[in-house]
Amino acid sequence: MTRPRSAAEASPRLEGIEALRALAALGVLSWHVWSHPVVDSNYGVSVGPLTKLFDNGRAGVAMFFVLSGFLLYRPFAAAIVRGTRCPSIRRYFINRVLRILPAYWVVLLVVAACFQRGLLDRPLQLLANMLFLQDFVPSYVPGVFTGYGIAPAWSLCVEVIFYLALPLLALVGLKLYRRGVAPTAAALAPPALMLVSGVVSLEVPRATHLGALWEMGFPDHMHWFALGMFVAVARVLYEDGRLKVTRALRISIGGAAIIIAAGTLKLAYGGTLRFEEEESLLSVSCALVLALVVLPPARSLLVRMLAWPPFVYLGLISYSIFLWHEPVLRFLREQGLTAGGTAGFGLDLVTLTAITLVLATLTYVLVERPALSAKDALGPVQPRPEPAEWSRSAP
């Protein structure tokens, strides 16, 4: 028997998560503005001491993957650790569909109708984009500011595969639990499997000719999701009083996040690390930052800062920010409406941010919020009390 959990503990919503989403989305947006004037050379504009900061805004994708691993695995981890029944898989998939598809389809179709009309003449490519299949057809993969489609949506293709894989991974943990493996160890097994597989996959491009097609795929990013899944297990143990988070531990976690990020960037800019290795190590820092947010003392200073209403609002519309910003920037560039260069960087950043926020707000109000209301009406994807036939002693 486990102790009863409070409503706050049982809630899938945690303070600070929306702010992390907002920072991730704005990081990706700023990186695209920074890199677009000289995209052909893969180098952005010089903005003095802030150059490396904007260069690493792309790490927002790593934060999104880590957050997905944490948020989606958390109910499954709770079921394994607490010995309750697995959450409803049907509800899980309905929630994913309502969260991802409506806004994506609306933005993609508007982009095709208004910005990239050539996509309407390529129905198979449009269909592939709508079904998150563009990553699997080399000629369909949109580069940043080139080709057709929403370039950052390559990461959504990766996310969708994770959505499909997660219930199977959770089943592994549940099977281990029912075979007598300690609950915590059983809950840690799925992310451990993902972590090892992801790290091994980093070596595949060296041994094959798959190149970018592999590097943009799910195998090359499994360990990013795994890091968030580990934090999910830690959060469940924290809720149940099995994990004590002391001030010294929090200082250690924060220090490790800074040291890993700083060391990674030093090695990367020195040419020691490949791009995939650099991003993988930065995802570790993202996971440590997430741990500081979700394993806090009572309303820590960090969580109070992240709970600032503007941060929360930007987090709510962060998905639409992510979808809109690159097609809009590409359109502005094609129409000669971007300043470009060091002098125009600030103006381009402000202009794109303003336009994107307006479009993201409209999409959230008219599309996302109604879909989320339907999702919330189903209730959270939480474990239900375990019937007798699910117990370890059952045949």
Side-chain angles (χ1 to χ4, degrees):
M1 297 291 291
T2 57
R3 68 177 178 83
R5 289 170 291 138
S6 67
E9 288 175 334
S11 171
R13 301 185 185 278
L14 295 170
E15 282 190 316
I17 295 297
E18 298 297 352
L20 293 180
R21 283 196 180 110
L23 293 173
L26 293 176
V28 175
L29 181 152
S30 65
W31 180 78
H32 280 138
V33 177
W34 174 83
S35 64
H36 97 273
V38 282
V39 69
D40 294 335
S41 64
N42 293 321
Y43 291 99
V45 297
S46 174
V47 285
L50 297 179
T51 298
K52 291 182 179 179
L53 174 64
F54 287 110
D55 183 24
N56 287 283
R58 62 183 184 272
V61 174
M63 178 59 81
F64 277 130
F65 286 174
V66 169
L67 282 170
S68 290
F70 169 76
L71 293 169
L72 299 183
Y73 186 57
R74 183 182 164 209
F76 294 103
I80 300 170
V81 170
R82 294 167 181 158
T84 55
R85 189 165 58 182
C86 178
S88 168
I89 302 302
R90 176 177 173 273
R91 183 177 298 174
Y92 162 80
F93 280 119
I94 291 174
N95 284 354
R96 290 298 86 210
V97 168
L98 291 174
R99 180 67 185 95
I100 298 298
L101 281 185
Y104 176 68
W105 280 353
V106 167
V107 174
L108 178 62
L109 292 175
V110 170
V111 166
C114 300
F115 301 157
Q116 302 174 24
R117 296 188 63 84
L119 193 56
L120 299 177
D121 299 325
R122 301 167 180 250
L124 288 180
Q125 186 170 351
L126 177 60
L127 180 62
N129 276 265
M130 294 185 70
L131 298 179
F132 302 107
L133 298 175
Q134 65 267 38
D135 280 8
F136 303 100
V137 183
S139 61
Y140 287 178
V141 177
V144 179
F145 314 115
T146 60
Y148 293 110
I150 301 171
W154 73 266
S155 63
L156 293 179
C157 301
V158 176
E159 290 260 9
V160 167
I161 298 177
F162 175 67
Y163 299 161
L164 297 173
L166 183 59
L168 298 177
L169 291 164
L171 181 61
V172 171
L174 287 167
K175 290 291 186 181
L176 290 173
Y177 167 77
R178 292 177 65 187
R179 288 173 181 249
V181 176
T184 300
L188 291 172
L193 177 62
M194 289 271 286
L195 179 66
V196 173
S197 301
V199 172
V200 170
S201 75
L202 292 176
E203 298 303 315
V204 171
R206 290 181 174 180
T208 67
H209 299 288
L210 294 176
L213 190 63
W214 179 270
E215 292 166 359
M216 293 177 65
F218 175 68
D220 221 37
H221 298 91
M222 287 190 289
H223 49 304
W224 298 14
F225 294 102
L227 294 169
M229 294 166 70
F230 281 122
V231 179
V233 176
R235 171 67 194 191
V236 172
L237 296 175
Y238 174 77
E239 291 172 358
D240 289 352
R242 302 192 211 179
L243 176 63
K244 303 297 182 183
V245 182
T246 63
R247 183 172 182 272
L249 178 58
R250 286 176 53 76
I251 292 175
S252 299
I253 293 173
I258 295 172
I259 291 171
I260 291 173
T264 296
L265 296 180
K266 182 175 179 59
L267 292 173
Y269 285 114
T272 303
L273 295 177
R274 291 183 298 148
F275 175 76
E276 297 79 11
E277 296 167 338
E278 174 193 359
E279 294 298 294
S280 295
L281 288 172
L282 289 178
S283 70
V284 175
S285 290
C286 291
L288 292 172
V289 171
L290 174 62
L292 286 177
V293 174
V294 301
L295 303 174
R299 293 219 75 204
S300 67
L301 176 61
L302 175 62
V303 172
R304 292 200 303 271
M305 291 172 59
L306 294 178
W308 187 42
F311 272 154
V312 174
Y313 171 73
L314 290 173
L316 290 174
I317 65 171
S318 60
Y319 181 46
S320 290
I321 291 175
F322 184 76
L323 294 175
W324 275 116
H325 77 275
E326 187 272 340
V328 171
L329 180 56
R330 192 192 313 187
F331 175 76
L332 293 176
R333 184 191 188 202
E334 291 171 350
Q335 301 302 313
L337 299 176
T338 53
T342 300
F345 170 74
L347 178 61
D348 290 344
L349 182 60
V350 171
T351 301
L352 178 66
T353 301
I355 295 173
T356 300
L357 289 182
V358 172
L359 292 173
T361 297
L362 291 173
T363 306
Y364 177 75
V365 171
L366 300 177
V367 182
E368 283 194 79
R369 192 160 66 185
L372 291 172
S373 296
K375 179 175 78 73
D376 292 341
L378 298 173
V381 182
Q382 290 288 345
R384 295 165 291 175
E386 178 186 13
E389 64 269 20
W390 279 65
S391 66
R392 286 190 178 190
S393 59

